[in-house]
Amino acid sequence: MTRLENFAPGPLPVINAVCEEVGLVEVIDEIVDWDETQAEISPGSLTAGLVMNFLTEGEPMYRLSDFFENKDPQNLFGDDITTEDLYDQRFGWALDKIADAEPRNVLNSVIANAVTTEGVDIGVVHADTTSKSVHGEYEQDGQQDDLNIAKGYSRDGDRQLKQFNIGLGVNSRGIPVTGDIFDGNGADTTWNKELISEIRQCLPTDESIVYVADSKAVTGENLARASRQNLPLISRLPGNYAAVDELIDRAWEDDNWEDIGSVAAREDAVSHDIQSYTQTISGQQLRCVVVKPSTIDGRSEKRIDKELDTTEEDLEDAVEELSTRVFACERDAKQELKTWLNDHQEECFEVEAEVVETEQKKSRDKPGRPPKDWEPYETVYKIAASVQRDAAAITTYKQRESCYVLVTSIEDAEEWPPKRVLKEYKQQITVEQSFPVVKDPKRVGAVYLKDHQRLEALGYVLIMALLVYSVIERRARLALMDADEPMELSGGPSTYRPTGRRVLQRFENMLVSRVDGKRVLPENVEVPRRVLELLDLSVEVYGVDEAQ
């Protein structure tokens, strides 16, 4: 009697194959201490299982057996493995092994192998941090080396939950080249300081690199450290430096803007005008680029509009109060108006005011009938004023407020002209776009681990998952660069630059049947063969004979 089994592995075999090809499984199995004769599944393979989970449905660890149900675990983990073998404590054991082997060292080794295998160019490192919320009490046990799970500044906006922080460095294409898990109440400034000191030891390259980070990286100490490390830096000068306003004021006064157009490939990309200067910042001679975008970003414009509304309300209240004042002589009224105008100068508003002569009814100090020669009215002076917005001044103000200052310690202005400095800083979005992969609750799910060391190890596995995801994305995009046709996406559209998520979506409907132990593809399954080719894979990752 024929035995038929049906599975719905979806993209899991693709993810697993990339885990193996970049060396994640092999490197972890080599680094961590484990007994091959006592373990049915290696720690590297279990880590790959966590990566598969993170990059798809994101089930919590206590439901991993359910996650791998009907996913053909024998193909993923070995012929003798069933879903009952994929219980949470087994994956917890793998995390313990990573924790015992210094998880950051494990991550750096995995990254180094992947970068070498895939031929990834580093050159520039874009660094930033994010937070990951967790569920549980996580009381500290007094061990200073333990990860501090604590409340801190939450990028998720959930200040009720404790968290840990993820520090990440990626190259210009978004491939992770270094990563770190640090305390939930840790500061970005401190993390940048430590990474600047260690980055050359962390990266799998001896070539010169440029460090790009947001304004939190710019402190006197960090600039000095980068100089000692001979580490070129590009960042944005934070607003607490007086040099920001000084340089922007100087640029507006010089009015020698250079139109460099757009530094992005999109048709609707913002264009930029720039002016360059050299300035001493915290004792370091740095090149500074004042940037004036053609449009102001929506958040800044809302802030400015709110400020203008508040200023207008204050001016109107002041005008109303001024109009109630009465002066006995014209000279006093004019003097008061002059003083008032000096005290209420606002560059975005025009106040039209004049002293007007009027009459008002006299008030008598004594009761009774007034004398025959009593004049009931007297001549007094008041101030009539109105407030109007100055449209031209507001436009100029918004343009000036949209300006910002970039700083770089790169001295070679020919190799790194101001436009290239700006373009590379704008690539900081590559690290920001990486964070949803490790934060998306649909992928990663809620984190409930109660053990600090396991949780820290899990954080590093999250970065490994991002590494695998970015390799999948990179392979597809590189293959499509020279392709005649774009890649079709699920749902109909097509693109030459698919995201890793869009690539994996093409495999969501993959089914496999096993007939008397032999895997075959059902006739009604449309295999995305071209996508497999873009990833340099074949249907053999599903355990199916390619010849068949």
Side-chain angles (χ1 to χ4, degrees):
M1 182 177 178
T2 301
R3 184 184 179 190
L4 175 64
E5 299 172 276
N6 294 313
F7 303 100
L12 299 193
V14 172
I15 299 170
N16 191 46
V18 175
C19 285
E20 292 179 348
E21 291 189 357
V22 301
L24 182 148
V25 176
E26 181 181 359
V27 169
I28 292 176
D29 287 346
E30 287 181 355
I31 291 178
V32 307
D33 183 19
W34 65 292
D35 187 347
E36 188 172 354
T37 63
Q38 298 295 318
E40 291 184 87
I41 311 175
S42 76
S45 294
L46 289 167
T47 303
L50 290 173
V51 170
M52 293 180 233
N53 179 53
F54 292 154
L55 296 185
T56 51
E57 298 175 15
E59 293 287 352
M61 285 187 64
Y62 68 86
R63 293 182 58 185
L64 283 173
S65 290
D66 296 337
F67 171 75
F68 286 107
E69 185 73 36
N70 200 36
K71 298 294 196 303
D72 197 3
Q74 290 89 349
N75 178 52
L76 300 172
F77 298 99
D79 291 339
D80 298 328
I81 302 302
T82 66
T83 54
E84 288 73 19
D85 298 315
L86 301 171
Y87 49 88
D88 56 350
Q89 286 302 317
R90 176 158 273 165
F91 287 95
W93 169 80
L95 292 176
D96 291 339
K97 293 300 179 183
I98 292 174
D100 292 341
E102 297 294 337
R104 192 178 186 191
N105 293 338
V106 176
L107 172 67
N108 286 337
S109 298
V110 171
I111 288 176
N113 198 88
V115 165
T116 302
T117 301
E118 296 292 314
V120 174
D121 175 61
I122 298 180
V124 177
V125 175
H126 292 269
D128 203 355
T129 67
T130 190
S131 59
K132 178 64 182 172
S133 299
V134 298
H135 297 259
E137 292 300 324
Y138 293 99
E139 298 294 339
Q140 290 300 110
D141 57 10
Q143 298 293 324
Q144 291 185 348
D145 293 337
D146 278 355
L147 180 68
N148 184 14
I149 310 301
K151 293 181 180 179
Y153 174 69
S154 174
R155 281 79 168 178
D156 304 323
D158 191 342
R159 300 183 182 275
Q160 302 303 314
L161 293 175
K162 292 185 178 182
Q163 64 181 25
F164 60 85
N165 282 311
I166 302 172
L168 188 64
V170 305
N171 75 345
S172 294
R173 292 185 178 271
I175 305 292
V177 294
T178 187
D180 190 20
I181 303 300
F182 63 102
D183 294 343
N185 57 358
D188 289 6
T189 301
T190 303
W191 179 79
N192 273 286
K193 177 180 67 176
E194 294 173 352
L195 183 58
I196 287 171
S197 299
E198 304 168 353
I199 190 166
R200 292 198 179 280
Q201 290 73 41
C202 294
L203 295 180
T205 180
D206 295 327
E207 298 179 4
S208 176
I209 59 169
V210 175
Y211 185 80
V212 185
D214 64 19
S215 61
K216 294 183 181 66
V218 181
T219 66
E221 184 177 2
N222 287 352
L223 292 173
R225 282 175 180 253
S227 179
R228 289 195 297 270
Q229 293 287 330
N230 194 26
L231 178 67
L233 180 144
I234 296 174
S235 188
R236 179 169 173 166
L237 192 60
N240 61 336
Y241 277 80
V244 173
D245 287 333
E246 293 172 4
L247 287 165
I248 292 176
D249 287 342
R250 183 177 171 186
W252 277 91
E253 183 178 346
D254 293 346
D255 196 24
N256 190 27
W257 299 101
E258 176 189 357
D259 182 0
I260 61 170
S262 170
V263 294
R266 302 191 317 272
E267 293 183 2
D268 60 343
V270 175
S271 61
H272 302 83
D273 292 343
I274 60 172
Q275 292 188 65
S276 299
Y277 301 96
T278 300
Q279 184 89 354
T280 301
I281 308 292
S282 297
Q284 305 282 333
Q285 278 288 106
L286 301 177
R287 291 168 55 205
C288 300
V289 182
V290 181
V291 183
K292 182 177 72 171
S294 59
T295 60
I296 187 171
D297 67 273
R299 186 169 59 179
S300 296
E301 186 162 30
K302 286 182 179 179
R303 174 183 58 80
I304 293 173
D305 287 341
K306 187 175 181 179
E307 290 175 358
L308 291 173
D309 289 341
T310 301
T311 302
E312 186 173 31
E313 290 176 7
D314 292 342
L315 278 175
E316 288 177 343
D317 290 343
V319 164
E320 184 178 355
E321 190 275 332
L322 180 65
S323 67
T324 63
R325 302 183 194 177
V326 179
F327 302 90
C329 69
E330 184 178 14
R331 185 181 65 180
D332 289 348
K334 288 183 175 180
Q335 182 60 43
E336 179 62 21
L337 175 58
K338 181 179 179 181
T339 301
W340 188 94
L341 289 174
N342 286 336
D343 292 341
H344 294 82
Q345 289 184 357
E346 297 289 346
E347 62 178 308
C348 294
F349 294 89
E350 293 179 342
V351 178
E352 295 181 358
E354 61 176 344
V355 175
V356 294
E357 179 182 309
T358 186
E359 289 187 340
Q360 70 176 14
K361 195 172 183 179
K362 291 181 180 179
S363 60
R364 293 183 69 241
D365 296 333
K366 297 180 180 181
R369 179 177 295 181
K372 290 183 179 181
D373 60 348
W374 171 259
E375 290 292 337
Y377 293 95
E378 63 179 346
T379 299
V380 295
Y381 297 88
K382 291 187 174 184
I383 299 173
S386 62
V387 179
Q388 292 86 30
R389 294 195 177 203
D390 186 336
I394 289 174
T395 298
T396 301
Y397 176 69
K398 287 185 175 182
Q399 287 180 335
R400 190 193 180 288
E401 285 295 298
S402 70
C403 291
Y404 55 93
V405 180
L406 299 183
V407 291
T408 180
S409 58
I410 303 174
E411 297 179 357
D412 192 343
E414 290 189 7
E415 183 178 357
W416 281 88
K419 182 174 182 178
R420 185 181 177 188
V421 172
L422 174 61
K423 184 175 182 179
E424 199 59 63
Y425 178 76
K426 287 292 185 180
Q427 284 296 105
Q428 189 71 359
I429 193 174
T430 57
V431 65
E432 296 167 0
Q433 290 175 335
S434 299
F435 290 138
V437 180
V438 296
K439 290 169 67 72
D440 185 350
K442 294 193 293 287
R443 286 197 183 103
V444 180
V447 177
Y448 293 97
L449 290 181
K450 304 304 180 186
D451 182 276
H452 287 71
Q453 291 184 329
R454 280 190 181 181
L455 187 59
E456 183 178 9
L458 185 73
Y460 283 99
V461 175
L462 282 173
I463 301 176
M464 295 180 201
L466 174 60
L467 172 67
V468 173
Y469 175 92
S470 59
V471 166
I472 290 171
E473 182 176 279
R474 177 180 182 270
R475 285 189 182 184
R477 290 185 175 186
L478 286 178
L480 287 165
M481 286 180 64
D482 299 323
D484 295 328
E485 298 290 335
M487 188 188 99
E488 293 185 3
L489 306 178
S490 298
S494 60
T495 180
Y496 285 98
R497 289 180 55 79
T499 63
R501 180 177 64 86
R502 286 297 220 165
V503 173
L504 293 176
Q505 279 181 345
R506 288 299 312 273
F507 299 97
E508 285 183 349
N509 296 323
M510 279 295 294
L511 303 175
V512 173
S513 296
R514 192 162 60 186
V515 182
D516 291 334
K518 183 177 182 180
R519 292 179 179 84
V520 296
L521 296 174
E523 294 182 359
N524 62 340
V525 172
E526 183 179 350
V527 180
R529 293 185 181 278
R530 183 171 183 236
V531 184
L532 283 169
E533 292 173 0
L534 294 174
L535 299 177
D536 198 21
L537 300 174
S538 72
V539 292
E540 291 183 357
V541 300
Y542 285 88
V544 176
D545 188 350
E546 175 71 27
Q548 175 208 357

